[in-house]
Amino acid sequence: MAGSSESASSKVPEYEVPDLHTRVFHVGSLGALWKETLQRADLALQEPVAEDGAAAVAEGLGCPLETAAELGAVCSIDMLKSPDKKEDPEIILEDSDLVTLRIRKKALERREETIIVDRACRQETFTYEMESHAIGKRPKDPADLIEEGELLLTLNIFYPVIFQKHKDHKPYQTVLVLGCQKLTELRDSISCVSDLQIGGEFSSHPDHAPEHISKDLYKSAYFYFEGVFYNDKRHSECRDLSRTVIEWAESHDRGYENLQTAKMEDYTFNDLSIKVGFPYLFCHQGDCEHIIIITDIRLVHQDDCLDRTLYPLLIKKHWLWTRKCFVCKMYTARWVTNEDSLAPEDPCFFCDVCFRMLHYDAEGNKLGEFLAYPYVDPGTFN
């Protein structure tokens, strides 16, 4: 099978198109080659034992131990600190000549007056927390510690192509996956607003709680990597979504020959043959298609998150504006109406409170003519 064959692919990534993507190579073979080539110390994930800094410097420079100790004291980080112990680094002096400090001082004063954190600051904090929350984290249970020499792949997951606004935009998720993880683990970790949609029209009974969301009803999905469709067949109701694509390609002679299918749950990333930098596909909910690009593959090192249970690990996420209620302009929209005689535009979005106050009387009877659908805002995942 193309997903596990080593004869048709190289063990080492070589660029097929300069600065774009590599030729096909087998992930597991690359990891095995690294293990054969590198020393055991290069693969170690244990925290390094503290060494005598002065002795190491003396040995490296070939100088006496006293000279090395003096160099260590002179070049110490403590020498960069202000000798004035009373100076508070959090306080910005009024007579500072640095433009950056004056700008920061104004921003802090404005924030105290308005009690509002500007969006740029929130995004910066959000990005920092996403990137740093798991750095160097080790598991409480030693059984969950990642093995030495494990591969770590970086994947960019793009917005579905139905979002015209973000069709050519940056990826909305960047995740790290281990080479030993199954494709189903990545499939379960991908968050998409289409999985949360609630089917049906609820204008006559808005209090009727739906039993299922789309993800519960339509569990079929597939990944496409190098001529192989990896279908999710873990549930009896799962369908082979790739069959339609394969039949279409064969009937129209599109040049895609020998397309194959496999079960997603039977394969890990180490079993794949891929190109780094090449666009692949994840499809779910029938026609919700996400481009997936593997941008990097490397060995795990001791500064990475070493808790296997936290992978696939989300490290970046695109911030989305939430759609506010058309009436109050304050709360996130929960309902969308069509053909609404009481709304100034079609479609029109409402929070739950405004929707009920405008469209129903005190007894809950429907006012006017309209169609109402539950709305799941893409900003839900912010």
Side-chain angles (χ1 to χ4, degrees):
M1 181 170 291
S4 58
S5 174
E6 296 184 31
S7 60
S9 59
S10 171
K11 293 183 179 180
V12 180
E14 301 174 354
Y15 272 100
E16 181 178 41
V17 180
D19 300 325
L20 286 181
H21 60 78
T22 66
R23 298 183 187 277
V24 178
F25 67 94
H26 188 258
V27 175
S29 298
L30 175 64
L33 187 60
W34 271 337
K35 292 179 182 178
E36 294 174 5
T37 306
L38 297 175
Q39 301 295 324
R40 178 66 183 272
D42 299 324
L43 304 176
L45 298 178
Q46 300 298 325
E47 296 180 354
V49 179
E51 299 180 355
D52 185 355
V57 172
E59 182 181 355
L61 298 179
C63 63
L65 187 61
E66 295 77 10
T67 305
E70 183 180 355
L71 281 173
V74 173
C75 300
S76 171
I77 297 178
D78 294 334
M79 298 297 292
L80 300 175
K81 298 180 180 179
S82 172
D84 186 2
K85 301 297 183 180
K86 297 180 180 180
E87 188 173 307
D88 188 351
E90 297 296 327
I91 298 177
I92 301 176
L93 302 178
E94 294 289 345
D95 58 348
S96 176
D97 295 331
L98 294 177
V99 177
T100 52
L101 287 181
R102 293 203 300 266
I103 294 175
R104 178 168 177 79
K105 184 176 178 60
K106 290 181 181 180
L108 292 175
E109 291 174 349
R110 183 175 65 251
R111 191 178 302 171
E112 290 180 358
E113 294 174 358
T114 59
I115 322 180
I116 293 176
V117 180
D118 56 277
R119 183 172 182 265
C121 181
R122 281 186 293 154
Q123 282 189 292
E124 183 178 322
T125 303
F126 177 75
T127 302
Y128 172 76
E129 290 178 349
M130 289 292 298
E131 293 179 346
S132 62
H133 77 282
I135 291 179
K137 191 168 186 178
R138 292 175 178 266
K140 296 180 180 179
D141 186 353
D144 294 327
L145 182 68
I146 295 175
E147 296 182 0
E148 295 180 351
E150 185 60 73
L151 290 178
L152 193 63
L153 293 83
T154 304
L155 288 80
N156 282 343
I157 303 171
F158 289 74
Y159 283 99
V161 295
I162 57 174
F163 286 84
Q164 292 298 321
K165 178 181 178 182
H166 303 291
K167 191 172 183 180
D168 300 316
H169 207 279
K170 59 186 176 182
Y172 82 105
Q173 282 184 339
T174 300
V175 297
L176 300 178
V177 296
L178 301 174
C180 64
Q181 289 189 295
K182 292 185 178 295
L183 300 183
T184 48
E185 294 184 66
L186 174 63
R187 185 260 186 275
D188 293 338
S189 71
I190 296 176
S191 56
C192 178
V193 69
S194 64
D195 282 333
L196 304 180
Q197 299 300 323
I198 301 171
E201 196 276 316
F202 292 86
S203 62
S204 300
H205 40 81
D207 294 321
H208 183 269
E211 297 180 359
H212 302 285
I213 58 176
S214 297
K215 191 173 184 177
D216 299 327
L217 297 174
Y218 311 108
K219 301 179 181 180
S220 304
Y222 68 77
F223 288 106
Y224 175 78
F225 294 104
E226 293 301 322
V228 182
F229 291 91
Y230 297 91
N231 289 284
D232 188 349
K233 303 290 286 183
R234 291 174 292 175
H235 309 282
S236 58
E237 59 268 34
C238 287
R239 297 173 52 196
D240 185 352
L241 296 180
S242 66
R243 178 52 50 191
T244 302
V245 181
I246 294 175
E247 292 177 352
W248 170 84
E250 293 175 347
S251 63
H252 291 75
D253 191 19
R254 297 289 180 175
Y256 294 94
E257 299 178 356
N258 300 323
L259 291 175
Q260 303 176 50
T261 61
K263 292 183 178 180
M264 188 188 302
E265 56 270 26
D266 293 341
Y267 286 83
T268 67
F269 285 91
N270 284 333
D271 299 324
L272 301 182
S273 292
I274 60 169
K275 299 177 183 178
V276 171
F278 193 80
Y280 294 109
L281 183 66
F282 169 65
C283 179
H284 66 130
Q285 295 300 320
D287 61 353
C288 187
E289 300 176 337
H290 300 259
I291 296 297
I292 292 182
I293 298 179
I294 301 172
T295 60
D296 187 35
I297 177 171
R298 62 176 175 84
L299 293 173
V300 170
H301 56 69
Q302 61 188 13
D303 293 330
D304 287 315
C305 174
L306 300 181
D307 189 346
R308 191 201 181 284
T309 61
L310 297 180
Y311 287 89
L313 181 62
L314 183 64
I315 59 172
K316 287 184 181 179
K317 184 162 51 174
H318 182 215
W319 183 285
L320 272 177
W321 282 105
T322 55
R323 187 184 293 274
K324 301 299 183 182
C325 171
F326 183 85
V327 178
C328 66
K329 310 292 185 183
M330 292 178 57
Y331 300 109
T332 303
R334 293 278 306 277
W335 294 91
V336 56
T337 61
N338 292 115
E339 302 176 14
D340 192 344
S341 60
L342 302 176
E345 58 184 41
D346 189 7
C348 197
F349 298 85
F350 302 92
C351 67
D352 191 62
V353 174
C354 295
F355 171 73
R356 295 175 185 274
M357 290 179 64
L358 180 63
H359 294 90
Y360 301 91
D361 59 22
E363 286 72 34
N365 299 315
K366 181 177 176 180
L367 303 175
E369 293 297 326
F370 61 92
L371 301 175
Y373 305 92
Y375 175 72
V376 181
D377 191 85
T380 300
F381 299 111
N382 283 347

